[in-house]
Amino acid sequence: APYPCSYLVDRQARSQVAIPPEHIDQSAYSRLVQQGFRRSGPFIYRPRCDGCQRCVPVRVRALDFVPDRTQRKIVNRLNKPGLMQVRERSLAFDPEHYALYRAYQQARHPNGGMDDDDADQYTQFLLTSGVDTRLIEFRIEGRVVMVSVMDVLADGLSAVYTFYDPTDPKASYGTYAVLWQIIQCQYNNLPYLYLGYWIAESEKMAYKSRFQPLEMLDDGHWIKMPDSANLTGCSGSNQDP
């Protein structure tokens, strides 16, 4: 059934869902992501909207990625010895994570439909998975500042969702999370980091075009994103992911 689009005002969205989810193993899930699907909790879907094809699946060619000057500065600043503690956690409810999630949604996406997620909705969205999913926790001075959820694929990683402390916009936590996942791809010789969908008219999506080289799914084939598309997507926005 159609539902209000989260990215384009006054638009209705519709999704195609792969079923039954319990029969989609790791290999099938990897192939679905290669065809433009994403995962939200137990549901694996892709947009199939009436008269609209604005959502473009994109992925970073991780093994060819070289950070620009700004990205190097972010990594060097947050990778100072003893500053950032990173560890993998189980897919289990953590009140500290949930409090950070609520603060992030209310600050970054007010009235977006997720700012009032209760604990059950949060658990369904990020802690329910039938595939190989990793939850990564980032702490500074003992305090959780960011949580990233990502899926392991046959040819890379899929960035499911990241939320972080919204009180310090200059910290660039969101950019650091993408860079950290690209580095994980490189370390494990995985060629791609899948970043979900990019929409030229959406400033929320603009950050994705800053990670080059970027590929887009076009008529069933992955191609290099044209420079003109990158410029349209950036729209002069400095918004952090």
Side-chain angles (χ1 to χ4, degrees):
Y3 54 90
C5 179
S6 301
Y7 301 103
L8 299 177
V9 179
D10 298 327
R11 295 287 187 104
Q12 289 289 300
R14 192 190 296 269
S15 294
Q16 179 183 36
V17 181
I19 57 173
E22 61 271 18
H23 289 172
I24 299 174
D25 60 15
Q26 198 67 24
S27 176
Y29 177 56
S30 292
R31 293 196 302 273
L32 287 168
V33 173
Q34 292 167 1
Q35 296 172 37
F37 282 79
R38 295 287 289 169
R39 186 180 65 79
S40 176
F43 303 107
I44 300 167
Y45 71 95
R46 63 182 174 186
R48 277 294 180 268
C49 303
D50 301 325
C52 180
Q53 296 180 345
R54 297 292 198 278
C55 290
V56 179
V58 293
R59 67 185 186 185
V60 182
R61 283 166 42 190
L63 301 183
D64 298 321
F65 174 82
V66 177
D68 61 25
R69 181 181 178 187
T70 299
Q71 292 165 344
R72 288 196 301 271
K73 288 174 64 176
I74 292 170
V75 171
N76 291 337
R77 173 165 49 82
L78 292 175
N79 274 356
K80 289 180 180 178
L83 179 62
M84 183 78 77
Q85 293 81 49
V86 182
R87 64 170 178 163
E88 182 178 342
R89 297 284 305 275
S90 63
L91 284 180
F93 184 83
D94 184 310
E96 193 175 8
H97 293 177
Y98 176 58
L100 180 64
Y101 173 83
R102 288 294 305 271
Y104 172 82
Q105 294 294 347
Q106 291 168 4
R108 296 301 301 272
H109 304 292
N111 304 314
M114 299 170 67
D115 50 318
D116 288 326
D117 279 3
D118 60 24
D120 288 340
Q121 291 170 310
Y122 165 78
T123 299
Q124 173 83 355
F125 173 40
L126 290 179
L127 306 181
T128 305
S129 172
V131 296
D132 186 356
T133 300
R134 311 296 173 89
L135 186 150
I136 310 298
E137 174 191 87
F138 300 80
R139 289 181 179 267
I140 292 179
E141 297 179 346
R143 179 174 60 91
V144 175
V145 297
M146 183 165 62
V147 173
S148 284
V149 177
M150 60 187 189
D151 291 337
V152 180
L153 309 173
D155 63 347
L157 299 174
S158 176
V160 176
Y161 202 76
T162 293
F163 56 94
Y164 52 83
D165 183 356
T167 61
D168 185 5
K170 295 182 179 180
S172 298
Y173 290 132
T175 297
Y176 179 80
V178 177
L179 294 170
W180 187 90
Q181 291 176 57
I182 291 173
I183 292 170
Q184 298 308 303
C185 288
Q186 294 173 339
Y187 181 80
N188 292 283
N189 200 35
L190 296 171
Y192 303 112
L193 173 64
Y194 291 83
L195 290 180
Y197 303 116
W198 175 86
I199 302 173
E201 300 92 332
S202 174
E203 290 190 2
K204 293 180 181 179
M205 303 286 196
Y207 74 91
K208 298 181 182 183
S209 62
R210 298 203 295 263
F211 299 91
Q212 297 291 333
L214 194 68
E215 293 184 344
M216 59 188 286
L217 188 62
D218 179 45
D219 195 24
H221 301 282
W222 288 96
I223 63 172
K224 184 182 184 300
M225 177 176 278
D227 292 340
S228 58
N230 293 341
L231 293 173
T232 304
C234 285
S235 303
S237 172
N238 293 319
Q239 181 171 339
D240 202 28

